[in-house]
Amino acid sequence: MKRFAVSVVAVFLVLCACNFAVAFLRFNRKTSAQLNEGFYIIIDAGHGGMDGGTSAADGTLEKNINLSIAQKLDSMFKACGFNTVMLRTGDELIGDNSLSTIRARKVSDIKTRLSIAHSYPQSVLISIHQNHYSVEKYNGAQVFYSPNAPASKLIAQAVQSSIVENIQPDNNRQIKAVGTNIYLLYNCNLPSIMVECGFLSNREEAEKLKNEVYQKQLAFSVVNGILNYLE
Ligand SMILES: [Zn+2]
C-alpha cells in the first residue's frame, strides 16, 4: 500500500513537472525576450524571527512554512531563468531589530520589505502566507492582490487558477483585493500578490502544508501561474 502511495505521488509530480515544462517552453519561446533586464521576481516569506505568524494545533509556525515554500519558489524561478530577490532568507525580521517594542520592530520590518520591493520598480512581488480561522472546516488556497497596479488582479487570477488546476480541484475560492490591514500589498506600487497557501487551522491541510512534497507542488503551481500570466 505504501509503495502504491509513493507511486501515486511520483506520477503526480511527473505530471506536474510536464505541465510546468510545457508552460516553461511556451514562455521561453514567446516571452523571455520581452522581459526587461530589470525584471525580478521578488519573493516575500511572511513573518520571521520573533513574529511566528499563525500556527497549527501541533505548534508548527507559519513563518517556517512560508520560508520553506519561498525557498522552493526561488529555486524554481531561477531554474526558469528569472532574476529573483528573497526579502528574507533566514528566520528573522529584516527591519531595525534594536527598536524597543515588538510593534516598532514589526513596523520597521514591513516598511523595509516595502522599500526593498520598490527598489526593483519593474518587477513582480509574491508574498507567501498561511491562513487561519477559528472554525477548523475551512481549507484551500486563496490569492489576494494589491489594489494599485492593474496587473496584480490578472496575476492573482492566473495563480489561483493554476493552484486549482494542479492540486486543489475542489477549491472554489475567489481572488480578492487586500484592504489596509495588509500593509505590504496595500502600499506596494508593483504588480503584487499574496498567496495564502492554506489553513493551518485545518488539521488535514496543516499536515499537507508541512510536507515538503506538497510544498513543491504548491510552488510549482505558483510558478506555472506566473508563466501563464507572462505568456
Ligand atoms: Zn501570515
Side-chain angles (χ1 to χ4, degrees):
M1 192 60 196
K2 197 168 176 194
R3 185 173 289 178
F4 174 73
V6 170
S7 332
V8 169
V9 170
V11 167
F12 177 86
L13 276 180
V14 168
L15 288 176
C16 214
C18 287
N19 183 10
F20 174 75
V22 168
F24 175 57
L25 288 172
R26 285 200 320 256
F27 161 76
N28 256 345
R29 208 168 48 233
K30 289 184 179 172
T31 320
S32 58
Q34 299 162 15
L35 284 180
N36 190 303
E37 254 185 35
F39 182 86
Y40 282 75
I41 301 284
I42 304 166
I43 304 164
D44 172 51
H47 313 282
M50 44 156 276
D51 173 14
T54 189
S55 60
D58 67 358
T60 302
L61 293 174
E62 179 194 352
K63 65 175 183 176
N64 297 325
I65 296 180
N66 294 343
L67 184 59
S68 185
I69 294 173
Q71 285 164 336
K72 289 169 179 62
L73 278 177
D74 186 47
S75 313
M76 288 180 197
F77 276 118
K78 279 187 176 135
C80 291
F82 288 94
N83 295 316
T84 63
V85 178
M86 290 271 286
L87 293 187
R88 77 169 167 102
T89 53
D91 183 14
E92 63 201 349
L93 288 180
I94 63 168
D96 181 353
N97 284 313
S98 70
L99 292 167
S100 57
T101 66
I102 291 174
R103 183 174 156 70
R105 279 180 246 159
K106 281 192 185 181
V107 169
S108 169
D109 168 77
I110 208 71
K111 287 191 170 170
T112 305
R113 293 185 200 223
L114 182 63
S115 148
I116 296 173
H118 280 163
S119 68
Y120 297 90
Q122 293 148 35
S123 304
V124 165
L125 169 71
I126 304 172
S127 184
I128 298 295
H129 283 261
Q130 313 303 317
N131 221 331
H132 193 279
Y133 199 69
S134 50
V135 181
E136 190 183 340
K137 67 177 178 179
Y138 296 106
N139 64 6
Q142 186 170 18
V143 184
F144 293 79
Y145 58 92
S146 165
N148 304 323
S152 300
K153 188 175 180 182
L154 299 174
I155 297 171
Q157 190 55 63
V159 171
Q160 181 79 38
S161 301
S162 176
I163 292 173
V164 171
E165 225 168 79
N166 284 305
I167 53 172
Q168 295 179 5
D170 300 326
N171 180 340
N172 297 316
R173 293 188 176 281
Q174 303 296 313
I175 60 167
K176 205 172 165 190
V178 297
T180 52
N181 56 328
I182 308 295
Y183 182 91
L184 183 62
L185 258 70
Y186 190 77
N187 292 286
C188 190
N189 298 325
L190 310 174
S192 40
I193 62 166
M194 175 175 71
V195 185
E196 291 275 14
C197 300
F199 284 75
L200 286 181
S201 42
N202 179 297
R203 269 165 237 251
E204 203 179 315
E205 190 159 53
E207 282 310 309
K208 286 188 189 171
L209 291 166
K210 284 158 55 182
N211 180 290
E212 290 273 331
V213 174
Y214 187 75
Q215 291 177 359
K216 277 184 195 160
Q217 293 168 356
L218 260 170
F220 257 130
S221 306
V222 173
V223 176
N224 188 52
I226 296 286
L227 292 178
N228 286 341
Y229 162 76
L230 288 171
E231 212 182 72

